[in-house]
Amino acid sequence: MTAFLAGAATGLAARPALAAERPAQFEIFWEVWDLVDRYFVDQDKIDPQRMTYGAIQGMLATLGDQNHTAFFSPQEAQQQQSALDGSFEGIGAYVESTAEGFRIIAPIHGSPAEQAGILPGDIVLRVDGEDITGMPEWEVISRIRGPAGTTVILTVLHPNADEPVDIAIVRGKIDIESVTWARIPGTNFVYLQISQFAADTGDELLAALEAIQAEEDPVEGILLDLRNNPGGYLQEALRVNSQFLETGKVILHERDASQQLRTYRSVGRGLARDYPLVVLINQGTASAGEITAGALKENERARLVGQPTLGTGTVLQPFTLSDGSVLRLGVTHWLTPNRNLIKGQGVAPDVSVEQDPATPMVDAARLKEAATLSEVLALGDRQFNMGLLQLRLRAK
């Protein structure tokens, strides 16, 4: 899941201008293609489309913009878009292809995946008993998704585990609510979670903050949870930050290939600018989630608690190609307000709290079920517990 600029451009429009600049080394590609086509013994295995897509993906991999610059087949592009649109049928998990395999970034809170025991960092080895090694990402996702009420069995290797396990998951309709909140029992604080930066996250946050302000018992601070937030739309990240930062504060800088800087600042009327604020982050906090964490930290608006973020730091421009496939190309670097590069290093917490990915994390649903603060603390979410302590200190 990546953050990218709104809008799309067609690759066809750029083709004539680039044709004269193609490197001579590209002739080697066609030499190999022709040799495969003429001599490869298993002629039935030759698939020109898969070969083309594979060559594109290999070329992009050499750029080193891992987890960001990417090529999506038409099917993959549709799957990516449906996740940000907020509704689909499946198990409910954010995923990515890595060198280690098909990885679960995080299950969506309350999803069938989470309820069945899927963990952040799980590597999926098989789907319904079939080895998925080398299978295109869109095909793996298509096999995992399916009609609500049906069952899929994933063979996964949990983080720090030696042996894989089979997990049966009953698919459901996944309506992604990107902003949730609840009062923390026994306190005058609220817990506010942003699970991704989807197309309507800014509106969801506005509604949540209006409801918080309308509470009969005054709210004295906010614990903002960005853990396992895989990112999303840049514009929504700007809207979110503007709710917490004073007008004119720098949210981020973008630096392009010619080293030109563009600066984005907080605008408008923010509803949460006066609340004491602590932010929870971890290694699953990515892209737009990192923008938010960095902006709140370096503007001295909040203390960060948890683990360093993932370190994905390029703004992507989507280019829709002639067959419906999409190239999402890193066109600028994100820099924090103090012009620190996010890519490759992430955003560091002010208070470091390591936590096993298998630890049940506090969320709005669990808080609403809990009768006392002791029940919440007993869940063992050390990052939440420390975040609450830090919020108490900031609210004094």
Side-chain angles (χ1 to χ4, degrees):
M1 183 72 67
T2 50
F4 51 91
L5 298 172
T10 173
L12 291 176
R15 188 171 300 157
L18 297 177
E21 301 175 14
R22 288 175 182 159
Q25 293 91 332
F26 199 68
E27 292 302 319
I28 300 297
F29 171 84
W30 289 115
E31 287 184 36
V32 173
W33 183 286
D34 290 341
L35 289 169
V36 169
D37 188 55
R38 182 177 303 178
Y39 296 116
F40 184 64
V41 63
D42 295 320
Q43 287 284 302
D44 59 324
K45 299 291 180 63
I46 296 176
D47 183 334
Q49 184 181 71
R50 288 191 67 179
M51 289 168 64
T52 301
Y53 285 179
I56 294 170
Q57 289 162 343
M59 174 183 66
L60 297 178
T62 69
L63 303 178
D65 195 17
Q66 189 175 5
N67 299 322
H68 248 202
T69 288
F71 172 81
F72 299 105
S73 69
Q75 298 94 331
E76 289 174 310
Q78 186 176 11
Q79 290 165 353
Q80 289 279 325
Q81 189 59 47
S82 67
L84 284 174
D85 287 343
S87 181
F88 60 92
E89 291 187 347
I91 67 169
Y94 301 114
V95 300
E96 64 178 351
S97 290
T98 69
E100 291 75 26
F102 190 81
R103 176 178 176 270
I104 303 292
I105 299 175
I108 296 170
H109 285 293
S111 67
E114 183 183 59
Q115 293 169 0
I118 294 294
L119 304 175
D122 279 351
I123 300 296
V124 181
L125 305 175
R126 292 187 290 277
V127 177
D128 286 332
E130 183 175 359
D131 189 346
I132 63 169
T133 302
M135 192 177 291
E137 183 177 294
W138 70 266
E139 189 171 342
V140 178
I141 294 173
S142 293
R143 291 171 185 267
I144 294 175
R145 285 190 182 180
T150 60
T151 300
V152 62
I153 298 176
L154 302 188
T155 303
V156 304
L157 183 65
H158 290 315
N160 304 320
D162 296 323
E163 297 294 332
V165 295
D166 289 337
I167 299 179
I169 309 171
V170 179
R171 301 178 178 101
K173 182 180 180 183
I174 312 300
D175 293 314
I176 303 174
E177 191 176 11
S178 62
V179 179
T180 55
W181 71 279
R183 293 194 76 110
I184 301 174
T187 75
N188 289 324
F189 304 133
V190 298
Y191 167 92
L192 177 67
Q193 182 184 43
I194 302 176
S195 61
Q196 67 170 343
F197 290 85
D200 57 356
T201 297
D203 292 335
E204 288 187 35
L205 178 61
L206 177 61
L209 292 175
E210 288 175 340
I212 289 170
Q213 287 189 335
E215 285 282 286
E216 184 175 344
D217 293 327
V219 171
E220 297 178 358
I222 295 175
L223 184 59
L224 176 62
D225 195 346
L226 297 178
R227 293 177 296 179
N228 296 329
N229 183 317
Y233 290 111
L234 173 61
Q235 183 60 37
E236 296 306 301
L238 299 176
R239 294 180 66 194
V240 165
N241 278 272
S242 290
Q243 294 291 352
F244 295 101
L245 294 172
E246 295 178 7
T247 299
K249 292 290 186 181
V250 174
I251 297 173
L252 81 151
H253 308 281
E254 286 181 6
R255 186 173 65 200
D256 63 20
S258 63
Q259 303 303 305
Q260 296 296 309
L261 277 181
R262 180 180 181 184
T263 298
Y264 294 89
R265 298 179 182 273
S266 179
V267 298
R269 172 176 163 264
L271 299 186
R273 293 174 178 172
D274 295 326
Y275 292 109
L277 184 65
V278 170
V279 180
L280 303 180
I281 58 174
N282 67 1
Q283 68 275 20
T285 306
S287 57
E290 295 175 282
I291 286 176
T292 301
L296 296 177
K297 176 182 180 177
E298 292 188 0
N299 281 292
E300 299 183 350
R301 177 65 185 88
R303 285 180 67 78
L304 308 187
V305 174
Q307 296 160 279
T309 62
L310 185 60
T312 52
T314 51
V315 176
L316 302 185
Q317 173 69 51
F319 295 85
T320 302
L321 308 179
S322 58
D323 66 347
S325 56
V326 172
L327 169 65
R328 290 182 179 161
L329 186 66
V331 294
T332 61
H333 278 136
W334 292 333
L335 306 177
T336 64
N338 292 344
R339 302 192 180 186
N340 293 312
L341 186 67
I342 293 176
K343 182 179 178 181
Q345 57 193 43
V347 178
D350 296 297
V351 181
S352 180
V353 181
E354 296 292 324
Q355 185 158 285
D356 191 305
T359 302
M361 292 196 301
V362 173
D363 59 16
R366 289 188 172 98
L367 288 170
K368 290 175 181 178
E369 294 170 356
T372 66
L373 180 60
S374 295
E375 289 181 34
V376 178
L377 299 178
L379 290 172
D381 185 344
R382 297 175 58 242
Q383 293 170 345
F384 174 91
N385 295 353
M386 177 57 73
L388 180 58
L389 174 61
Q390 293 295 317
L391 187 56
R392 290 185 187 276
L393 295 175
R394 288 183 69 84
K396 284 185 177 179

